[in-house]
Amino acid sequence: MKIGLDIMGGDYAPKATVLGAIEACKELGADQKLVLIGDKPAAQSILEEQGFSCDNFEFVHTTQVIGMGEHPTKAIVQKADSSISVGFQMLKEGQIVAFSSAGNTGAMLVGSVFSVKTIPGISRPAMATIIPKLKGGLGILLDVGANADCKPENLMQFGVLGSAYAELVYKIPDPKVALMNIGEEEEKGNLLSLATYPLMKDTELFNFVGNVEGRDLFSDQADVIVTDGFTGNVILKMAESFYVISLKKQIKDEFFTRFNYEQYGGSPVLGVNAPVVVGHGISNPEAIKNMVLLSRDMYTSGLIDKIKQAFQPQ
């Protein structure tokens, strides 16, 4: 099993990505090999500095990098020898089973859709994130940025994706799926949530438990919370600030510590034909390690096959 990592993606690449690759390598199984995609001489130099054998990895040298501010579609097309473009080509051809990067999020989404493509039956892929729970454990929130505008059928499908992800990767049995809204009552909400509710209520594809409000985010009321990408991204950015604020206020609390993005590595792109994980642009080695391990777990859990089965024509 070969797992691809873009070592040029992120604000602190390639140093942080290669150091993260070293830590990930220590936790991979004997049959699991990490493929480093990017500037090979730079990577080898860092590995030599760390006294870590280059033989632990495979290398694919690339000559271009997609910057954080570049237009995603143009960059993917015009920079065919970039680490992201090459990574997706390898994923498409089956040379690697999973691919992760802390680089340009838009380019990762474009690459996912146009390279490995969306699973048949799914209209739009979604990005998910982890939500710590007050009583311990975690929940899943999606979409958190892939789709700013959504239709009811999109949210319905996100429920299927999130439920499968929670069950297979995080071992949550029969995950409770809820719809983020401004009230718990069925008749509350905007046009999107009002139209989505009956679709979720009538489905047998997941365990729908109704609407939840923002105050329920960290409770045990739901394991998977579905919303549009605009709302989800606002929630995500606010939640990320809790950890930063706790540090600035010198608050030592186990719950706030679990908001540290480093522990989760990245956001999976759910609904495409192979495991893809997008990391935070400021990812440090710990985050890179966890991003790689998440991409591996998505593959070994059989998540993609489970999603494909859910969307097969009946």
Side-chain angles (χ1 to χ4, degrees):
M1 178 195 307
K2 295 182 180 181
I3 303 165
L5 171 64
D6 167 22
I7 60 171
M8 309 309 293
D11 295 344
Y12 307 117
K15 186 70 176 285
T17 47
V18 174
L19 293 180
I22 292 173
E23 296 307 310
C25 183
K26 296 175 182 178
E27 297 194 27
L28 293 176
D31 63 337
Q32 299 167 350
K33 192 84 169 183
L34 196 50
V35 181
L36 306 186
I37 305 166
D39 189 331
K40 180 178 179 180
Q44 291 176 325
S45 176
I46 295 168
L47 290 170
E48 290 171 3
E49 289 175 4
Q50 299 299 312
F52 200 78
S53 175
C54 295
D55 294 338
N56 289 302
F57 305 99
E58 288 189 16
F59 299 87
V60 175
H61 180 66
T62 62
T63 59
Q64 296 175 304
V65 177
I66 295 177
M68 290 296 198
E70 291 191 62
H71 187 282
T73 306
K74 289 182 179 178
I76 286 284
V77 173
Q78 296 173 359
K79 292 188 172 181
D81 198 45
S82 66
S83 48
I84 288 179
S85 297
V86 171
F88 274 115
Q89 186 63 31
M90 294 178 67
L91 189 62
K92 177 182 178 181
E93 295 174 354
Q95 298 179 51
I96 54 178
V97 299
F99 180 53
S100 56
S101 171
N104 187 305
T105 299
M108 289 295 289
L109 289 169
V110 170
S112 298
V113 172
F114 290 100
S115 180
V116 293
K117 301 187 183 305
T118 306
I119 290 171
I122 297 178
S123 54
R124 296 184 185 179
M127 294 180 66
T129 194
I130 295 300
I131 297 295
K133 297 296 185 178
L134 271 169
K135 295 182 180 180
L138 53 83
I140 308 295
L141 174 69
L142 76 166
D143 181 29
V144 293
N147 307 279
D149 297 300
C150 292
K151 296 179 180 180
E153 55 266 30
N154 300 141
L155 299 189
M156 171 68 182
Q157 292 185 352
F158 296 168
V160 179
L161 298 175
S163 180
Y165 182 56
E167 180 180 2
L168 293 179
V169 176
Y170 291 101
K171 310 304 179 185
I172 301 174
D174 195 23
K176 295 175 290 185
V177 179
L179 179 64
M180 177 58 71
N181 208 333
I182 59 171
E184 295 182 359
E185 298 84 357
E186 184 173 346
E187 65 273 10
K188 288 286 184 71
N190 58 12
L191 293 175
L192 176 60
S193 57
L194 287 170
T196 302
Y197 191 99
L199 296 179
M200 290 187 163
K201 183 180 179 180
D202 293 340
T203 189
E204 296 183 356
L205 293 173
F206 52 79
N207 177 20
F208 182 56
V209 295
N211 289 326
V212 293
E213 300 178 58
R215 64 186 177 188
D216 303 313
L217 193 65
F218 310 113
S219 74
D220 293 327
Q221 193 163 334
D223 301 304
V224 177
I225 297 178
V226 174
T227 188
D228 61 274
F230 183 91
T231 304
N233 193 263
V234 172
I235 294 173
L236 171 62
K237 297 296 173 58
M238 183 184 69
E240 286 180 345
S241 73
F242 292 167
Y243 177 66
V244 177
I245 291 171
S246 70
L247 293 179
K248 289 182 177 179
K249 293 291 187 179
Q250 297 183 334
I251 300 172
K252 294 185 178 180
D253 184 274
E254 183 272 339
F255 176 66
F256 291 117
T257 300
R258 289 194 285 131
F259 281 89
N260 183 359
Y261 75 94
E262 299 169 8
Q263 299 180 32
Y264 311 113
S267 297
V269 180
L270 301 176
V272 294
N273 281 294
V276 176
V277 180
V278 183
H280 205 298
I282 58 172
S283 290
N284 61 13
E286 177 71 10
I288 297 296
K289 177 196 78 173
N290 288 322
M291 179 175 69
V292 170
L293 297 179
L294 174 57
S295 70
R296 175 203 61 184
D297 293 345
M298 289 174 65
Y299 177 77
T300 57
S301 68
L303 174 64
I304 307 301
D305 288 337
K306 171 83 171 184
I307 294 173
K308 286 180 179 179
Q309 290 172 9
F311 286 92
Q312 283 182 347
Q314 299 299 318

